[in-house]
Amino acid sequence: MNEADMIQYHEWLLRRSWKGYLYRRYYLYPRLWRYVRGKTLDVGCGIGDFIGLTKNSIGADINKYNVQYCLNKNIDAVLFSNNKLPFDENSFDCVIFDNVIEHIYDSNDILNDAARVLSKGGLMVIGVPVFKHFFHDADHKIYHSKDSMMNALLVPRMEYESDFNTPSNSILKLIFKHTCRWYVYKKT
Amino acid sequence: MTKLYDLIIIGSGPICAGILHGIPDNLSIAVITHGGYGGYEVDVNGDLTYANRFGGGLDEWHGVSSLALYKKHYPSDMALAKEFFSEIYMEREEICECIDESHIYIPNKKIDLHNLVELIESLNCDVIVGNVDSVNLESFYAEAIIGDARFRAKKIILAAGAIGSMRLLSNSGLGTPNAYIGNHINGYCNFNVKPPEGALSIKRGKGGHAKPIVSGILSGHEYIQYHRPSLFDFRYKDMLIKNKSTYSRSKSEVYSKILRAMSPGLISEAIYNRYGYWIGGSNSNVYYQIESTNVYYYDHQKKLILVDQNNLKSFNHSLKSDFGFKQLCEETIVSGIHFYNSVNPVDGIGIIANKESWSNTILVADSSCLKSIGGAHHTFSIMAMGNLAARRIYE
């Protein structure tokens, strides 16, 4: 991602709608918190919406403008690059990828590194858009099908546990038009 | 480690939909698409590799598919071709009645597989957005390269349109482009046409599968002209009445067309379709398909197949002035390029229309792989062939 793209994406994140914020604050994150335990890492944390509301959590992003924004807001975030997370092995109990891997052509490396920093028995929660809403973001690069996420995730020692949709409520689906499917994996 | 798919289809148009419809649901499949849908305008001055609809807007198409074509390429699979067309419609009985010994009449109504989104979801396909730079042929797999990313599959089908697919092969150093590049341009003109000299005395091919009726040189462009069945044809009036949606959306519209056929234009059109004689009249609806040459060329520096704008303009000018085409739209003239004979296939690359090449690692699926399909609808035809090939490959 070059400098201009970083600024553009950071500004795009800042233009979030109040509707989207309410949805995340009062619907999406409470659902994710069901899987959050112990120390949590949010990979691709953006402007820190999730980690700002989640205790004992830290964010990581490749966009320095996002990281600086988080730090200015006293939200714990670190910059990383080359798919290498700057953390020790087994240092987190939960890793969240909230709409991240569809922006990357080859997500295996970052998923593998996230598995490295995850402790045994920890959960990895990955959210990707459903296909009907996949083209809403011009930066989306790969639509990961359910089959692909359940059977072909090339990360060793990660076992598929469950999946769920957000929003699952049909009225909310009509309002937000951005349905995601979340997959939960457990490190064995 | 890069995931190895069973199949990658490059292109997300009607051909992709036809192929996916024939594939069992236990395979790992990826579809590569350029993305950018929603309001994307096709740029005739660009490289012409982009369609503007995901799935090719199949819900808006209609036409005639020739069973003679399937008989020629797939003599034992004609039943499958019929089955395919009956399967893709939501009202099977109706479409089955639109199949006779030599034709399949594709109604102007929604096709069940028009919604490629649902097909992709039901087959659990991955979708990769990007412009493929090249394809690589390896020993046991092929790979599509987008920037630094590589996507591997046991088989890759190029369904990116004749220009897009050929450009990919050219950029990949596969299938050396030869002097035939740019051979043939298709135009579909349906506005107030005046038939050219010589067309009046030549009858159409038997059973509506039109044969070339005129060929010659126009502004330095070698061309062949076909015509296709038009909106209304007396031969099929029973079918029109019986099947309310064949070429029409409602029964009342069919009756309305028959009543309107009392107009000189539609009567002359019907006579022209039936007997090949033109007696003039406005408001006619005969479809012409003109294939010309020298409009596309391969730019070795840019590695793009481009339109020769000067040749295109002179050709269009001649069509208007010499042939009497009016209201000619350049966008509809620049609608296709023939793949046939344009690339020398090499080991591992095959054409989806040839049964012998189904075992190859890279397959090209494009209507222009066929030498000529005359008045039959190109896209529907190769869609069915892609479907047949998919069934055969994975049966």
Side-chain angles (χ1 to χ4, degrees):
Chain A
M1 193 180 261
N2 61 38
E3 194 80 6
D5 288 343
M6 283 186 189
I7 295 171
Q8 192 181 15
Y9 198 69
H10 174 66
E11 288 173 349
W12 182 78
L13 287 175
L14 291 174
R15 286 198 300 271
R16 65 192 173 184
S17 68
W18 60 269
K19 201 168 70 173
Y21 175 77
L22 289 176
Y23 165 70
R24 284 192 296 274
R25 173 68 182 84
Y26 295 104
Y27 181 82
L28 176 63
Y29 295 158
R31 286 217 64 181
L32 293 183
W33 287 333
R34 294 178 195 175
Y35 300 92
V36 168
R37 56 177 79 159
K39 197 175 177 188
T40 301
L41 171 66
D42 181 6
V43 183
C45 63
I47 53 176
D49 280 348
F50 180 73
I51 49 176
L53 295 166
T54 310
K55 287 176 189 172
N56 199 13
S57 65
I58 184 169
D61 206 296
I62 58 165
N63 189 326
K64 62 184 179 186
Y65 297 96
N66 287 344
V67 172
Q68 192 57 50
Y69 181 88
C70 291
L71 294 174
N72 292 344
K73 295 255 177 188
N74 289 324
I75 298 169
D76 214 358
V78 295
L79 190 68
F80 76 98
S81 60
N82 299 327
N83 297 319
K84 294 288 176 197
L85 295 164
F87 302 107
D88 295 334
E89 287 182 19
N90 308 319
S91 49
F92 291 96
D93 301 303
C94 180
V95 177
I96 301 272
F97 285 86
D98 180 358
N99 284 271
V100 173
I101 64 168
E102 70 274 15
H103 292 269
I104 311 167
Y105 274 132
D106 192 350
S107 53
N108 285 330
D109 287 348
I110 186 63
L111 289 174
N112 273 289
D113 207 49
R116 177 184 65 81
V117 302
L118 194 63
S119 58
K120 190 177 178 184
L123 294 181
M124 188 187 286
V125 184
I126 304 175
V128 290
V130 299
F131 189 58
K132 278 174 183 164
H133 301 143
F134 176 70
F135 287 113
H136 285 190
D137 185 340
D139 190 55
H140 283 176
K141 293 186 174 65
I142 295 193
Y143 163 71
H144 297 273
S145 66
K146 191 169 182 177
D147 179 57
S148 199
M149 293 298 292
M150 287 171 65
N151 304 318
L153 200 70
L154 299 169
V155 183
R157 293 183 294 149
M158 296 302 297
E159 275 189 5
Y160 165 79
E161 283 253 305
S162 63
D163 63 277
F164 59 94
N165 278 9
T166 58
S168 54
N169 182 305
S170 53
I171 296 170
L172 287 176
K173 276 182 187 173
L174 278 174
I175 296 171
F176 292 106
K177 292 179 180 169
H178 184 79
T179 309
C180 282
R181 189 172 286 129
W182 295 83
Y183 300 88
V184 183
Y185 305 85
K186 189 173 186 179
K187 186 170 177 182
T188 56
Chain B
M1 181 184 163
T2 305
K3 184 178 172 184
L4 179 67
Y5 292 99
D6 289 314
L7 172 68
I8 290 177
I9 301 171
I10 301 178
S12 58
I15 314 303
C16 170
I19 293 167
L20 286 181
H21 194 264
I23 285 178
D25 58 8
N26 57 350
L27 299 177
S28 63
I29 305 160
V31 172
I32 302 184
T33 175
H34 66 75
Y37 299 97
Y40 188 89
E41 297 292 331
V42 176
D43 178 9
V44 292
N45 298 314
D47 55 16
L48 292 174
T49 55
Y50 291 169
N52 60 358
R53 295 278 296 275
F54 195 76
L58 274 171
D59 51 333
E60 293 175 357
W61 293 27
H62 67 282
V64 177
S65 193
S66 165
L67 284 174
L69 187 72
Y70 309 123
K71 193 174 184 180
K72 182 179 170 188
H73 292 273
Y74 298 88
S76 60
D77 290 347
M78 282 179 65
L80 277 179
K82 289 182 184 179
E83 193 183 313
F84 168 67
F85 280 105
S86 64
E87 277 178 4
I88 65 173
Y89 279 90
M90 284 178 259
E91 295 167 53
R92 288 185 182 197
E93 287 180 9
E94 202 168 291
I95 182 63
C96 286
E97 288 180 1
C98 297
I99 298 174
D100 65 19
E101 288 181 358
S102 55
H103 300 93
I104 301 171
Y105 301 95
I106 317 293
N108 185 5
K109 62 182 295 187
K110 276 197 175 181
I111 297 175
D112 207 8
L113 56 69
H114 83 280
N115 196 340
L116 191 56
V117 174
E118 285 176 11
L119 204 56
I120 279 173
E121 284 188 326
S122 68
L123 285 171
N124 267 316
C125 299
D126 282 3
V127 175
I128 300 159
V129 179
N131 291 310
V132 181
D133 298 320
S134 59
V135 284
N136 255 351
L137 195 57
E138 300 291 343
S139 304
F140 300 104
Y141 61 85
E143 60 183 11
I145 301 169
I146 304 174
D148 297 331
R150 288 166 185 265
F151 300 94
R152 291 175 181 164
K154 293 171 189 167
K155 197 179 281 291
I156 287 183
I157 297 179
L158 305 185
I163 300 171
S165 297
M166 188 153 63
R167 190 183 75 170
L168 261 178
L169 289 183
S170 302
N171 289 355
S172 311
L174 302 169
T176 318
N178 59 29
Y180 287 100
I181 264 198
N183 210 7
H184 298 125
I185 175 172
N186 302 325
Y188 300 92
C189 318
N190 58 347
F191 296 105
N192 299 324
V193 293
K194 187 176 83 178
E197 291 297 320
L200 305 183
S201 58
I202 300 171
K203 288 185 181 180
R204 62 185 299 151
K206 192 181 177 185
H209 181 196
K211 293 177 178 176
I213 56 170
V214 178
S215 64
I217 304 288
L218 183 68
S219 292
H221 301 275
E222 189 183 339
Y223 71 88
I224 305 169
Q225 182 182 338
Y226 304 92
H227 72 202
R228 301 197 297 158
S230 63
L231 191 69
F232 182 82
D233 192 325
F234 280 147
R235 285 178 303 172
Y236 311 126
K237 67 177 187 303
D238 293 340
M239 198 168 278
L240 279 168
I241 296 166
K242 194 173 174 183
N243 302 290
K244 61 183 180 183
S245 294
T246 310
Y247 291 116
S248 301
R249 293 190 187 280
S250 68
K251 200 166 186 174
S252 61
E253 199 176 335
V254 173
Y255 285 120
S256 152
K257 283 197 174 80
I258 292 168
L259 287 172
R260 281 172 55 213
M262 294 305 112
S263 76
L266 287 181
I267 289 173
S268 68
E269 176 191 319
I271 291 171
Y272 183 55
N273 278 335
R274 178 68 183 88
Y275 300 106
Y277 292 104
W278 183 260
I279 55 172
S282 59
N283 195 25
S284 297
N285 224 334
V286 178
Y287 282 73
Y288 282 92
Q289 175 182 327
I290 296 179
E291 299 179 346
S292 182
T293 59
N294 306 326
V295 174
Y296 292 97
Y297 68 98
Y298 185 68
D299 187 318
H300 288 272
Q301 280 190 328
K302 292 181 182 172
K303 291 189 172 180
L304 286 177
I305 294 165
L306 299 168
V307 180
D308 185 329
Q309 291 293 332
N310 289 332
N311 268 343
L312 175 67
K313 279 176 186 166
S314 71
F315 182 56
N316 282 346
H317 178 74
S318 303
L319 283 173
K320 287 173 186 171
S321 60
D322 300 349
F323 270 9
F325 283 100
K326 293 173 185 173
Q327 301 175 33
L328 205 57
C329 172
E330 289 191 5
E331 286 83 351
T332 60
I333 287 290
V334 188
S335 61
I337 183 171
H338 270 221
F339 204 97
Y340 184 77
N341 258 350
S342 295
V343 153
N344 297 318
V346 295
D347 288 341
I349 299 176
I351 302 294
I352 211 159
N354 297 334
K355 256 183 174 174
E356 295 73 24
S357 68
W358 286 355
S359 59
N360 288 358
T361 312
I362 294 178
L363 284 167
V364 178
D366 193 86
S367 52
S368 60
C369 295
L370 310 167
K371 187 176 182 182
S372 169
I373 60 173
H377 196 295
H378 289 69
T379 304
F380 281 126
S381 303
I382 201 68
M383 209 166 86
M385 288 204 180
N387 181 269
L388 291 177
R391 290 185 198 216
R392 285 295 182 221
I393 290 167
Y394 296 110
E395 70 182 353

